[in-house]
Amino acid sequence: WLRGADLCGADEGVADAARRTLERAGRIVAASREHGPGDLGDISPERIAKVAREAGRPLVLLLDGPEEMPPVLAHRLAAWSRGTEEWLAAQRVRLVVACRAEHWDRAGALFGDGAPRGRPGAVPACVRIADLTGRRARLARERHGIAEGALAARDAGHPLALRLLREVRAALPEGVEGCPDRDEIFGAWLDLMALRVAVRLAAPAGLRGSGVRRLAARVAGQLHEAARRSLGPGQGELDRRAFEQLFPWGARAKVAGWASAVLTEGVLVPAGDGYRFAHEEVADWIQGMHLDLDAALDALVFRRRCGPGTVPVPRHRAGPVVRAMLFASREPAELAARLRDLGEWA
């Protein structure tokens, strides 16, 4: 299971990321052995693929969120795709790519011609996954313990909304009513995460009551600042330096353990050389709050140019822009003006 952040700018194909991941896992396994590290032997992706083939279970790689790949690699996606396809065919490995439509519109067209004739896996198939409907949506709500009518109808089959609402409701006292929509669920979940982080920080510092509430507000502020900084050149990623400024490993104002508390609660997760919000859609939502919408539209749509040596902003980064547009819809006149400009440009 790979994620886009595991890819590097110089990669020739997905095998390079698989090799690094296996080597890292091998070091962890070796270090945990009771009688010393020892030699794990050949744990290359080619060896693993051979073992899987011989067992009659072809190796499957899942590349989750390829949008997280470094901008330099996204710029040379065609060459990476050719290298990936040739390796998959030679090793008889299958690849599943979980991505947004904006990414697949381009990436999907790059697969299909690079593999040798007669080799399996040369034809890509696209399965579009939407919200749950009908019986499946009802079953999902039942499994999450969410009663009918407990959230807005348009979000009643949205998997992430259901999952996060379950977490929020589990933290509330019984009898609390409401019918939140997706934005309200995301907001409540972020508040809950800030409180959980604050509780972790407060215990060693001897804080209680109002002190914990003030600390939770501070954590929430740092998470919003993390979202603002993620809008920069990192393409949605918070680099290590920025992360440690916001959530230091040491003490700040007599409270220690910010980084470990945030990571333990899973609000942010390690990704590549930095950190990202655990849920991509929550990341778009919170980043959309802080986006300079006019500047973003100018860069992504009206003036899509790059200076010498720079890489264009990828289309999938439109997520926070869409969210910002939805926030702007609360002011109909403001939204109408922007839509009119977009319509004239189109």
Side-chain angles (χ1 to χ4, degrees):
W1 185 352
L2 307 171
R3 61 184 299 164
D6 294 324
L7 307 179
C8 291
D11 284 355
E12 297 299 325
V14 73
D16 293 334
R19 198 178 319 279
R20 285 192 299 272
T21 300
L22 287 167
E23 289 173 354
R24 182 168 61 247
R27 289 193 296 270
I28 294 172
V29 170
S32 66
R33 285 187 167 183
E34 183 178 353
H35 302 293
D39 183 14
L40 295 179
D42 184 2
I43 56 171
S44 67
E46 291 79 12
R47 171 61 179 162
I48 304 301
K50 182 176 183 293
V51 171
R53 286 197 310 272
E54 292 175 348
R57 303 285 294 273
L59 178 65
V60 177
L61 300 182
L62 169 60
L63 178 57
D64 197 359
E67 296 91 341
E68 296 178 356
M69 69 175 59
V72 172
L73 183 58
H75 192 53
R76 45 181 292 268
L77 186 58
W80 181 89
S81 299
R82 286 194 301 273
T84 291
E85 190 170 17
E86 290 169 1
W87 183 83
L88 293 173
Q91 301 299 324
R92 285 183 282 174
V93 173
R94 298 174 182 177
L95 175 66
V96 177
V97 180
C99 64
R100 296 187 176 194
E102 294 89 350
H103 177 83
W104 191 251
D105 284 345
R106 179 189 174 205
L110 298 175
F111 287 100
D113 297 325
R117 292 185 180 275
R119 293 292 182 88
V123 179
C126 176
V127 179
R128 295 185 180 272
I129 302 176
D131 287 358
L132 302 172
T133 58
R135 184 185 66 82
R136 291 180 176 179
R138 288 194 299 272
L139 181 60
R141 290 193 293 273
E142 290 173 3
R143 289 182 174 176
H144 285 300
I146 299 173
E148 294 296 320
L151 74 166
R154 67 178 182 178
D155 298 319
H158 188 272
L160 182 59
L162 295 175
R163 175 182 169 184
L164 299 189
L165 180 58
R166 179 194 62 187
E167 292 189 41
V168 171
R169 287 195 170 277
L172 294 173
E174 292 187 11
V176 176
E177 298 181 355
C179 186
D181 61 18
R182 197 180 312 178
D183 286 359
E184 292 169 328
I185 293 170
F186 288 176
W189 180 81
L190 194 69
D191 289 343
L192 174 61
M193 292 299 102
L195 180 58
R196 286 180 176 173
V197 171
V199 169
R200 285 186 177 275
L201 295 172
L207 297 176
R208 296 183 180 180
S210 60
V212 177
R213 291 192 292 273
R214 287 193 296 270
L215 189 55
R218 187 174 178 185
V219 172
Q222 297 297 85
L223 291 173
H224 278 273
E225 179 61 23
R228 279 190 286 268
R229 296 194 186 190
S230 297
L231 287 166
Q235 306 292 338
E237 181 184 66
L238 193 67
D239 64 39
R240 290 185 180 275
R241 181 179 179 183
F243 174 82
E244 292 173 5
Q245 286 176 345
L246 296 173
F247 309 105
W249 294 97
R252 170 183 286 168
K254 300 181 180 179
V255 176
W258 287 76
S260 58
V262 168
L263 295 175
T264 300
E265 289 299 337
V267 192
L268 295 167
V269 295
D273 294 328
Y275 300 84
R276 291 176 181 267
F277 281 90
H279 301 299
E280 186 179 23
E281 193 168 353
V282 173
D284 286 349
W285 170 80
I286 190 172
Q287 289 173 19
M289 290 184 188
H290 304 290
L291 182 70
D292 184 335
L293 184 54
D294 290 325
L297 289 175
D298 187 50
L300 286 169
V301 180
F302 304 126
R303 186 180 47 81
R304 189 173 169 81
R305 299 193 194 99
C306 296
T310 62
V311 177
V313 178
R315 288 180 60 207
H316 65 260
R317 286 299 290 153
V321 181
V322 172
R323 272 292 176 179
M325 292 284 284
L326 291 173
F327 287 132
S329 68
R330 298 169 183 174
E331 297 292 337
E334 181 180 343
L335 178 63
R338 290 193 172 100
L339 290 176
R340 185 168 54 251
D341 292 341
L342 286 171
E344 291 175 356
W345 180 87

